[in-house]
Amino acid sequence: MEMTPARWRATEAYSAEVFGRQDGVLEEARAAAAEAGLPDIAVTPDVGRLLMILASLTRGRLAVEVGTLGGYSGIWLTRGLAPGGRLITIEMDSRHAGVAQEQFDRAGLSDRIEVRIGAALQVLPALAEELGPGSVDVAFIDAAKEEYPEYFALLRPLIAPGGLLLADNVYGAAGSWIDRIDRPGIAAVDRMNRLVAAAPEFEAVAVPIRAGLLIARRTK
Ligand code: SAH
Ligand code: MG
């Protein structure tokens, strides 16, 4: 059977209907981001739930997110961590970070989430120094698509054995698809996918939910 655009939309709608439940805190986080004029590019509730489930399958002590936006995915991720587990989330736009901080407060998670404001390629090396190798249970990449290979290079040593590297938009950013691989952002995402797939210490696959989610587990 051919996956036509109409079938894809129907599949997304079905996933949203059946697996897209969310509570008032998450609903409010989406509404507040829209109200503040943030771009409508947060993960959908079904993807958020997948992030939570995946985080809950790890040791769940420490997660790192690259690309906070209004905090929507950060709330899901943190809910998947073990009690007391922490999220460090990186955002270069201080307005986005401000909206996210408010939502983390409202969600009762501000004691477990730290927002680091700055460009990821500047923040990550310092963070790597601070956290040390093998310290991160879940890393979620969702910022500048052109920089995905560098994010992977910086996060790679930080992931704990048994930990997960996740990345959003790996089948193409912003609703595009693999047939637009000529675009710089998509080409860079493709490079990262191939680097992760070839990394001997990871087992990786990408699932075509929304814009595609890479799931890579550090096996050694
Ligand atoms: N993870 C969020 C969505 C992130 S959207 C969610 O699903 O809820 C991407 C975010 O990354 C935007 O807020 C953007 O400002 C930020 N960003 C883009 N380039 C960045 C960079 N180089 N460093 C840090 N943040 C960046
Ligand atoms: Mg994304």
Side-chain angles (χ1 to χ4, degrees), residues 30 41-48 51 69 72-73 76 140 142 168 210 213:
R30 286 199 94 85
I41 53 174
V43 296
T44 44
D46 49 358
V47 177
L51 295 175
L69 192 66
Y72 184 78
S73 56
W76 278 109
F140 177 47
D142 194 18
D168 188 35
R210 186 174 160 267
L213 186 77

